[in-house]
Amino acid sequence: REFWSAHFLPDEPKCLLKVEIMYYRALIRRASARQIQRPKTPSQKRSISQAALGDLSTWDLDKIIHFFNYHPINSFATSAGDVDAITKKYFRYELIYQSKKSKARVGKIITPHGEIDTPGFVPVATTGALKYVDPTFADSQLGTQLMFCNTYHLIVHPGADAVAAAGGIHRFNKYSKPIITDSGGFQVFSLGNTESQDELKGKVISKSRKLNQGGGSSIVRLNEQGVLFRSYLNGDLIELSPESSVEAQKKFQSDIIVPLDILLPNATTEKRRMASLHRTHRWEARSLIKHLENLNNQAMYCVLHGGTDRTMRTISANYLLKLPFQGVAIGGSLGKNREEMIQVVSLLSDMIPKDKPVHLLGIGDVKSIQDAIPYGIDTFDSVYPTRSGRHGQFFSEKGEVSIGKKEHATRNNSGVVEGCQCPTCSTHSAAYVHHLFRMREPLGMTLGTIHNLHFMMQKMAEFRQDILNGNV
């Protein structure tokens, strides 16, 4: 317990209990392999412990990592300073103004492909494309400064090598501003047709399980090495590990990359959630090691997990925030409602270093963003604004406008949202846009997406000004 607390995590009772279970199970496995009688009592376990391990203080780092299957914090200590010095030449967070009322702040994230004003919203281009909007238009006309692309989908098609052959994701999709790519873990676990027990136990899924008709994947195997899943495109087997995920993101040449993690299942036991949390830590450490082999002018964010459990969130923060990641993402389950999400964000805001950018994964509605900004969150991503636009829900200060309703059919003298200066509302009448959606014309989806992205960019600018004015 003393050894673990000194080298890995602080004295968290639940965590230490889990470590002790790992410890004794490993001893039992080794004893069985040597055909030694399996220990049945605590005294027998202690006897085997002394014989098998000896003095822990004599262990070298490789032996520690091999036994615990964990990379201790001090294994990164010698490189942390050098990594920070190197990465800050091309990636860093610069504080412009810190609110005196809250943890809200205005700043800039400096990347090789430009600056990102924070707090900022990040549109999601899942397959490297914003649905129904040209990335170059989003760049030049809508003011987007960061785009979120998905490693999982890009691996399925066109493949990491194809993107690399094009010169990286920026040259591939012609988006000139910064790009962040995730690890693919979220999609593998959220789209896969497995039960929580299968995910955490690493059970092999029945070969008869069919592919999702809606574009999901089928997990075939999950173990310590990584996850094996079937492509939703053609059924090919694809293996994703911490190392292969980083290798793919290196080929994409995105500005910000994310380590492979596990989406904690909602309906599972505390024991299995803890097992998933520790596996995520091991995977993130392996991802970081792979990243440090070739920085490639890229920054890596850690992803804090633990669901809504305060103890697990604290364990995750205490381990990952001590490793030399260049930024922090808050991921995993954020609760069933906005109140639970804010409780998670509030807890972590006191632990996250102030010199690193903070990203809240999967949050994109205005109210949630507004509530999270006072806790020091810098960037947010979500498909919600673009998806809503494609379904005829136009954002406004008074709520969403459903353009498909008949009441808009005769509005020939105003845009969908009165007073809006976006390319959609300043050019087309509400009646015309209503017609496009009623006839299911693709142009309607384009115009809806353009409006919502413009609204989000303008809203984030307002939030930044509110902080500068001392209102937040």
Side-chain angles (χ1 to χ4, degrees), residues 55-191:
D55 184 1
L56 281 174
S57 65
T58 65
W59 282 24
D60 59 24
L61 186 59
D62 290 338
K63 190 173 182 181
I64 294 170
I65 294 173
H66 175 73
F67 181 79
F68 286 106
N69 204 12
Y70 237 113
H71 290 269
I73 293 167
N74 60 4
S75 69
F76 294 90
T78 56
S79 64
D82 295 337
V83 171
D84 287 342
I86 294 172
T87 55
K88 284 183 178 179
K89 294 178 180 179
Y90 60 84
F91 182 91
R92 62 189 180 276
Y93 174 80
E94 293 184 356
L95 178 67
I96 295 175
Y97 178 79
Q98 175 65 60
S99 170
K100 295 177 175 60
K101 290 186 175 181
S102 67
K103 295 184 179 70
R105 59 186 188 173
V106 174
K108 287 186 177 182
I109 302 174
I110 312 299
T111 80
H113 285 90
E115 299 179 353
I116 305 161
D117 294 321
T118 65
F121 174 73
V122 186
V124 177
T126 303
T127 59
L130 288 170
K131 293 186 184 299
Y132 292 94
V133 174
D134 187 339
T136 61
F137 182 87
D139 176 354
S140 61
Q141 301 299 316
L142 301 179
T144 60
Q145 295 181 316
L146 179 62
M147 182 182 291
F148 203 114
C149 297
N150 182 261
T151 294
Y152 164 82
H153 289 287
L154 289 172
I155 287 176
V156 170
H157 193 276
D161 290 334
V163 176
I169 188 66
H170 292 89
R171 292 187 178 182
F172 189 57
N173 70 358
K174 305 304 180 186
Y175 185 73
S176 62
K177 299 292 178 63
I179 291 177
I180 178 174
T181 50
D182 69 354
S183 65
F186 175 83
Q187 282 69 28
V188 169
F189 291 100
S190 63
L191 297 178

Side-chain angles (χ1 to χ4, degrees), residues 455-469:
F455 179 88
M456 293 301 298
M457 296 304 113
Q458 295 300 309
K459 200 65 184 175
M460 299 310 298
E462 291 178 15
F463 288 150
R464 292 193 293 271
Q465 192 60 51
D466 284 343
I467 298 172
L468 293 171
N469 293 340

Side-chain angles (χ1 to χ4, degrees), residues 43 87-88 148 150 162 181 205-206 289 298 320 360 451 465:
S43 61
T87 55
K88 284 183 178 179
F148 203 114
N150 182 261
T181 50
I205 309 303
S206 171
I289 290 172
Q298 294 172 301
L320 294 174
L360 187 57
H451 168 84
Q465 192 60 51

Side-chain angles (χ1 to χ4, degrees), residues 299-365:
M300 177 177 278
Y301 284 21
C302 66
V303 183
L304 304 181
H305 275 270
T308 57
D309 188 294
R310 294 178 65 87
T311 298
M312 292 187 190
R313 282 287 179 182
T314 302
I315 290 171
S316 189
N318 284 335
Y319 178 67
L320 294 174
L321 294 180
K322 290 182 175 65
L323 304 186
F325 290 99
Q326 291 79 57
V328 180
I330 300 175
S333 172
L334 296 173
K336 298 178 181 178
N337 51 50
R338 191 175 294 119
E339 181 181 356
E340 290 186 354
M341 178 200 75
I342 292 302
Q343 289 175 355
V344 171
V345 172
S346 175
L347 171 69
L348 296 175
S349 67
D350 293 326
M351 306 179 190
I352 297 174
K354 306 306 179 186
D355 62 339
K356 293 183 179 181
V358 184
H359 184 87
L360 187 57
L361 287 162
I363 300 299
D365 65 285

Side-chain angles (χ1 to χ4, degrees), residues 437-448:
F437 273 93
R438 295 291 291 180
M439 298 307 294
R440 298 184 180 180
E441 288 286 348
L443 177 59
M445 299 182 186
T446 296
L447 297 178

